[in-house]
Amino acid sequence: MSFTVVCGGFWGDEGKGKILSFLALKDEPSIVARAGVGTNAGHTIQFQKQEYKLRMVPSGFVNPRIRLLIGAGVLVDPKILLKELDVTKTHDRMGVDFQCGIIEQEHINIDSSNEHLKVKIGSTGSGTGPANVDRVLRKLKIAKEIPELESYLTDVSVEINDELDKGNGVMAEGSQAILLSLFHGSYPYVTSKDTSAAAICSDLGVGPTRVTDVMVIMKSFITRVGTGELPGELSPEETMRRGWEEYGAVTGRLRRAAPFNYDLARKAVRLNGASQIGLTKLDILYPQIAKANDVDMIKGEIEEFIEKIESETRIKVSIIGTGPSAEDIIDLREQV
Ligand code: IMP
Ligand code: MG
């Protein structure tokens, strides 16, 4: 078995939640561990006719046999986590690292009123940036100081490394995406931490030699919420005309949209050391592939698009999303 890191290729909202829930059901890792910044992420999962918008609980929750963890690098908002534990009924299999940073109301207040963060950067207002400031100042509370979290506390690094030592599979769930990285993204219009595959490992306390695969998730067109560059950006009218309109899972904002960009795809593959691409929402570009599971549906212009991505990035597209549900997938990994 293996340690697979799943990360975002552009500016977030590539559909990581959907791919992760599919992989959790199909590959059955023992653990799915959430990495990334914190509650600024919103992962949308459609499963068994229900839709979940999760900001803390890992998308792998759809498989009841999987242990769910949140790594030390992630910021936890206890109120949001406890609510999601109720919604997903996952109390008995959730572990929170004892060193996760804690988002408090004051962080949310600053993030949603501060001119620089809210207006210039276009933050999600979830408190993650100000909480990471306090963490760097070494005055942020950590999970082991919060009584409500006591029954969930664990050492995520130990749990994951032990599981890998036993030969079992672990999946790391990144949030945000590479172009939102504080170090490698479109600074200053970025999030408050690195978001690369390497950072995902660091969030969880797993070393780089343990990684078997890095799957970078790319959507068939690009979206961005908040401010900052977006090459090839379409007008809101053109976005709607093409049927590319999306609204932020956390903020409800209409996402800005642009066509797929091969230069950015190459950059994303390199910065993450990606070994495979998960391509989502192909049905939005090509309605003929909607809800398909069959490899034979990849032909003509669809095949050309995928081949172009592969030749430009020099890695394989191994999974294709063909609809919103976790079951709407063409899995090419056997063919790879
Ligand atoms: P913050 O992370 O809330 O401080 O927001 C900084 C920038 O990152 C803003 O442009 C946000 O819209 C963007 N951002 C943060 N998290 C996500 C995410 O999960 N998906 C998409 N954009 C995000
Ligand atoms: Mg999102």
Side-chain angles (χ1 to χ4, degrees), residues 2-10 12-25 27 29 31-37 41 43 58-60 170-178 194-201 203-204 211-219 268 272-280 318-319 329 333:
S2 61
F3 181 50
T4 302
V5 175
V6 178
C7 54
F10 298 126
D13 309 312
E14 297 88 3
K16 289 181 289 293
K18 175 233 164 68
I19 300 288
L20 282 155
S21 51
F22 168 80
L23 293 172
L25 291 166
D27 295 2
I31 292 175
V32 175
R34 169 78 148 75
V37 183
H43 290 175
S59 308
V170 176
M171 202 159 71
E173 168 169 343
S175 70
Q176 286 75 40
I178 193 64
D194 184 25
T195 53
S196 65
I200 291 171
C201 294
D203 288 340
L204 301 175
V211 177
T212 341
D213 261 307
V214 175
M215 183 183 289
V216 62
I217 310 301
M218 297 181 185
K219 192 156 59 187
N272 286 306
S275 53
Q276 311 174 29
I277 294 171
L279 185 67
T280 59
S318 60
I319 288 206
I329 290 264
R333 290 175 299 166

Side-chain angles (χ1 to χ4, degrees), residues 3-218:
F3 181 50
T4 302
V5 175
V6 178
C7 54
F10 298 126
W11 279 284
D13 309 312
E14 297 88 3
K16 289 181 289 293
K18 175 233 164 68
I19 300 288
L20 282 155
S21 51
F22 168 80
L23 293 172
L25 291 166
K26 177 135 186 209
D27 295 2
E28 298 231 31
S30 319
I31 292 175
V32 175
R34 169 78 148 75
V37 183
T39 45
N40 47 352
H43 290 175
T44 306
I45 298 121
Q46 280 191 15
F47 179 62
Q48 291 177 344
K49 304 211 173 357
Q50 282 239 56
E51 184 171 85
Y52 302 86
K53 285 189 192 293
L54 300 179
R55 297 165 65 181
M56 296 259 74
V57 168
S59 308
F61 89 91
V62 294
N63 185 333
R65 286 183 290 278
I66 292 177
R67 168 90 169 139
L68 306 169
L69 298 174
I70 300 179
V74 181
L75 294 165
V76 167
D77 184 327
K79 276 199 221 92
I80 294 176
L81 173 62
L82 294 171
K83 204 186 282 170
E84 290 184 5
L85 287 170
D86 288 342
V87 171
T88 55
K89 302 182 186 71
T90 48
H91 306 83
D92 54 335
R93 54 195 177 101
M94 169 62 77
V96 175
D97 194 279
F98 67 104
Q99 298 231 86
C100 283
I102 298 299
I103 299 172
E104 296 193 272
Q105 190 57 44
E106 57 167 304
H107 302 118
I108 297 171
N109 295 348
I110 297 169
D111 206 10
S112 44
S113 64
N114 179 285
E115 173 85 14
H116 174 74
L117 288 174
K118 192 67 214 167
V119 181
K120 183 172 182 213
I121 306 301
S123 87
T124 60
S126 51
T128 48
N132 271 335
V133 169
D134 279 354
R135 195 168 208 181
V136 172
L137 292 172
R138 277 140 296 173
K139 58 184 203 188
L140 188 71
K141 280 194 186 141
I142 58 173
K144 71 174 180 190
E145 298 170 70
I146 310 297
E148 294 81 9
L149 296 180
E150 202 187 336
S151 58
Y152 305 104
L153 295 182
T154 186
D155 186 324
V156 166
S157 172
V158 167
E159 280 205 40
I160 295 180
N161 278 286
D162 280 354
E163 212 56 35
L164 293 171
D165 288 343
K166 283 188 241 159
N168 294 331
V170 176
M171 202 159 71
E173 168 169 343
S175 70
Q176 286 75 40
I178 193 64
L179 299 177
L180 287 170
S181 164
L182 181 62
F183 300 158
H184 307 291
S186 48
Y187 188 89
Y189 305 103
V190 293
T191 190
S192 53
K193 213 172 77 178
D194 184 25
T195 53
S196 65
I200 291 171
C201 294
S202 158
D203 288 340
L204 301 175
V206 185
T209 54
R210 308 224 67 164
V211 177
T212 341
D213 261 307
V214 175
M215 183 183 289
V216 62
I217 310 301
M218 297 181 185

